[in-house]
Amino acid sequence: MSMQKSYCKQMRYSGPESLTPSSAEKFDVLIQMEVLSGCQQACLGCFVDKNIDPAMNQMIIDRAKELTDGVKRTGLNLREFVIGPTDFFTASNTESVLNNSVVQEIMREHTGARIAAPAKFDVASMDRLKEIFAILDDENKFRRDMIIEFIMPISK
């Protein structure tokens, strides 16, 4: 497969990597917070720690808040807040993470940010989807117009 040279050049020079440091306000930032634990999937090639110590979660969340505060302070844009590393619907602590007031504060402060999370819909029950979306749809916790992006691993 080949790509037209003009298109290739446009792709190479159209992203944030083509900006000068003085144009840093245009940079998008993605922060990945690895706090979900437990996963019943056996995705081919999976290398993530499925058994993260729940006692570490608040420390990781607080560190993520420090990072997002820095993003805001420097005028950058938080584009994605990844909650992982395991499956969003089968992790044993998804509700705990989503109900965390610091996580909710991060998402309220960064109005252009979305949550991204690994998720396997083919194994999630409708009851489980309803439990998770009841939290995400609660306007006292998350913005009404917030986007959630699911990253779907494909395996055997």
Side-chain angles (χ1 to χ4, degrees):
M1 183 174 134
S2 64
M3 193 181 301
Q4 292 177 344
K5 287 185 179 183
S6 61
Y7 180 74
C8 184
K9 185 176 181 180
Q10 180 182 355
M11 292 302 292
R12 185 179 298 146
Y13 296 108
S14 64
E17 64 278 357
S18 67
L19 299 172
T20 62
S22 63
S23 299
E25 73 277 354
K26 296 181 181 176
F27 285 100
D28 283 345
V29 177
L30 179 149
I31 294 176
Q32 181 164 334
M33 185 175 70
E34 297 196 353
V35 292
L36 296 181
S37 61
C39 181
Q40 307 309 313
Q41 311 307 317
C43 298
L44 189 63
C46 181
F47 59 89
V48 300
D49 181 0
K50 297 178 183 182
N51 301 303
I52 295 172
D53 181 3
M56 295 293 296
N57 276 358
Q58 194 58 50
M59 289 174 33
I60 294 168
I61 292 169
D62 290 342
R63 180 65 180 133
K65 176 71 170 113
E66 290 173 24
L67 292 170
T68 60
D69 286 348
V71 166
K72 188 174 185 176
R73 186 174 49 255
T74 56
L76 300 174
N77 176 48
L78 180 65
R79 179 176 50 89
E80 282 188 18
F81 190 59
V82 180
I83 299 176
T86 62
D87 178 58
F88 199 64
F89 297 114
T90 60
S92 59
N93 63 336
T94 303
E95 293 95 333
S96 171
V97 171
L98 292 177
N99 282 316
N100 185 289
S101 61
V102 177
V103 171
Q104 294 168 7
E105 182 180 349
I106 289 169
M107 296 312 296
R108 278 193 303 273
E109 287 179 359
H110 296 271
T111 57
R114 68 182 67 200
I115 288 178
K120 298 239 340 154
F121 285 92
D122 56 338
V123 294
S125 70
M126 187 53 72
D127 288 339
R128 182 67 174 153
L129 290 173
K130 287 178 181 178
E131 290 170 2
I132 299 299
F133 278 97
I135 299 168
L136 292 168
D137 288 339
D138 185 340
E139 292 182 29
N140 293 316
K141 297 178 180 180
F142 293 98
R143 299 185 325 267
R144 180 179 185 179
D145 60 346
M146 184 185 73
I147 295 171
I148 183 155
E149 176 180 287
F150 294 110
I151 305 159
M152 298 183 65
I154 300 173
S155 63
K156 289 184 178 181

